């Protein structure tokens, strides 16, 4: 196992994804944030089934930065209940993992 993790979240179709991503990188909460193309999400919310345009966001960071990232998301994410899924990185390229760690330090 490495110290690297991927954090998944989503943003609504009207959100400024690049500004959201840049804020995370500028604050050293993420080494890189990837914004995937818009998608349709269907989900249960407040006793109903909703459908919305969203954008998947993949945040590359380290375990050491998770609590700070969680706090930032609670304060800045536009959703009432944002997705915050943490996926461990079992292994990766040595130089990439070193860059990732350095970028969030």
């Amino acid at each position: 196992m490495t110290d690297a993790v991927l954090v998944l979240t989503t943003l609504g179709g009207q959100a400024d994804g690049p500004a959201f991503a840049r804020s995370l990188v500028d604050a050293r909460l993420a080494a890189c944030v990837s914004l995937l193309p818009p998608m349709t999400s269907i989900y249960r919310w407040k006793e109903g089934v909703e459908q919305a345009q969203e954008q998947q966001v993949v945040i590359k960071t380290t375990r050491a930065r998770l609590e700070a990232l969680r706090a930032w998301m609670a304060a800045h994410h536009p959703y009432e209940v944002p997705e915050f899924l943490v996926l461990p990185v079992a292994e990766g390229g040595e130089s990439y993992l070193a860059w990732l760690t350095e970028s969030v330090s």
Side-chain angles (χ1 to χ4, degrees):
M1 290 300 282
T2 71
D3 189 43
V5 293
L6 300 177
V7 177
L8 303 180
T9 196
T10 52
L11 293 173
Q14 302 304 315
D16 187 348
F20 183 88
R22 180 170 286 282
S23 293
L24 291 172
V25 174
D26 284 345
R28 292 190 171 267
L29 295 171
C32 175
V33 179
S34 298
L35 303 167
L36 279 62
M39 62 189 178
T40 300
S41 294
I42 300 168
Y43 53 94
R44 184 166 300 283
W45 180 246
K46 297 187 178 181
E47 301 186 33
V49 176
E50 302 288 331
Q51 179 173 325
Q53 286 296 110
E54 291 189 302
Q55 185 170 33
Q56 185 70 58
V57 180
V58 181
I59 303 165
K60 292 103 175 188
T61 192
T62 61
R63 287 193 180 282
R65 297 302 281 152
L66 277 178
E67 288 313 309
L69 175 59
R70 190 182 317 269
W72 188 94
M73 294 266 285
H76 297 96
H77 198 287
Y79 285 177
E80 182 179 338
V81 180
E83 175 182 16
F84 191 89
L85 299 176
V86 180
L87 307 175
V89 175
E91 59 183 89
E94 188 175 317
S95 58
Y96 181 85
L97 294 175
W99 164 81
L100 190 154
T101 300
E102 179 183 320
S103 294
V104 298
S105 296

